[in-house]
Amino acid sequence: MKNIIIFGAPGSGKGTYSDEIVAKYGMGHISTGDVLRGEIKNGTELGKIAKGYIDNGQLIPDELMIDILAKTYDAQTKGQGMIFDGFPRTIAQAEALKKMLADRKDDMGMMIELVVDEETLMARLLNRAIEQGRADDNEETIKKRFDVYRNQTAPLAEWFEKEGLRHTFNWKGSKEQMLAEIFEAIDAANK
């Protein structure tokens, strides 16, 4: 099974579609946020270093994030395929991930880009704030996250295009329709 990088703006459904792909194909799933919280909670050496950055309000350096992802990746069953959810977010991270996988005689596989208009994203995130009580999902913060995504993360889509890995799926109002298109692309890539 090929690895998959799931890519999209905040609220585009990366976690939701990752869960559906995992359920259908039995792949591993690395959510960078979950992995970081787990390393910190378990008090691992990498977790302690990461916590130091987080506690000081700093971003975790790419090298440390790659080390944490490599540890998680190496613990998975070889050939099972892995979904990378929330990483990479920059070209430097993508290149580091590509190298980490190449060192293991593997590759990125494919990138699934979820494209949803900002009005729909805003409504989803505000609804999530109500349903899940997430303080980070308020209109002002969401707008800042969209700006960061547009300026720092969205340009990475072109990098994936040049690598020949980009598969784009536009929201048409139906999760089922989008899932069917995503599954079709995954099946085609794994023939």
Side-chain angles (χ1 to χ4, degrees), residues 2-174:
K2 287 185 181 273
N3 292 319
I4 296 172
I5 287 111
I6 196 147
F7 188 85
S12 61
K14 295 181 296 292
T16 299
Y17 290 104
S18 292
D19 291 346
E20 295 284 350
I21 294 166
V22 167
K24 180 170 174 69
Y25 297 100
M27 300 178 73
H29 180 200
I30 297 177
S31 165
T32 51
D34 292 347
V35 169
L36 276 175
R37 285 185 289 276
E39 292 287 323
I40 292 167
K41 181 182 176 193
N42 293 329
T44 68
E45 195 57 39
L46 290 172
K48 289 174 188 172
I49 295 168
K51 186 175 185 326
Y53 283 101
I54 292 168
D55 288 350
N56 288 314
Q58 298 172 312
L59 292 175
I60 294 170
D62 291 348
E63 308 82 48
L64 178 58
M65 197 65 230
I66 285 291
D67 288 345
I68 291 171
L69 289 176
K71 178 183 170 199
T72 306
Y73 187 80
D74 291 344
Q76 300 296 318
T77 304
K78 187 80 175 134
Q80 158 187 37
M82 183 67 64
I83 295 177
F84 293 92
D85 172 1
F87 193 89
R89 292 184 183 204
T90 65
I91 291 171
Q93 289 177 354
E95 289 172 347
L97 179 61
K98 181 180 178 180
K99 181 185 180 315
M100 183 273 284
L101 290 169
D103 290 347
R104 288 155 176 77
K105 309 221 180 321
D106 210 344
D107 60 42
M108 290 185 175
M110 65 189 296
M111 180 269 259
I112 293 176
E113 180 180 26
L114 305 172
V115 179
V116 184
D117 66 87
E118 281 192 14
E119 186 178 314
T120 301
L121 293 173
M122 180 66 77
R124 284 182 184 177
L125 291 169
L126 291 173
N127 188 52
R128 182 172 80 181
I130 295 165
E131 290 177 357
Q132 297 177 9
R134 288 181 57 158
D136 62 328
D137 285 342
N138 61 66
E139 195 163 340
E140 183 181 332
T141 303
I142 293 167
K143 286 180 181 176
K144 287 179 186 171
R145 288 166 60 202
F146 286 164
D147 286 342
V148 168
Y149 176 78
R150 269 192 305 274
N151 296 322
Q152 295 178 18
T153 307
L156 182 56
E158 292 305 316
W159 185 89
F160 281 110
E161 183 73 34
K162 289 177 187 156
E163 292 286 316
L165 303 173
R166 184 179 185 186
H167 298 265
T168 302
F169 300 90
N170 291 290
W171 174 254
K172 297 175 187 85
S174 163

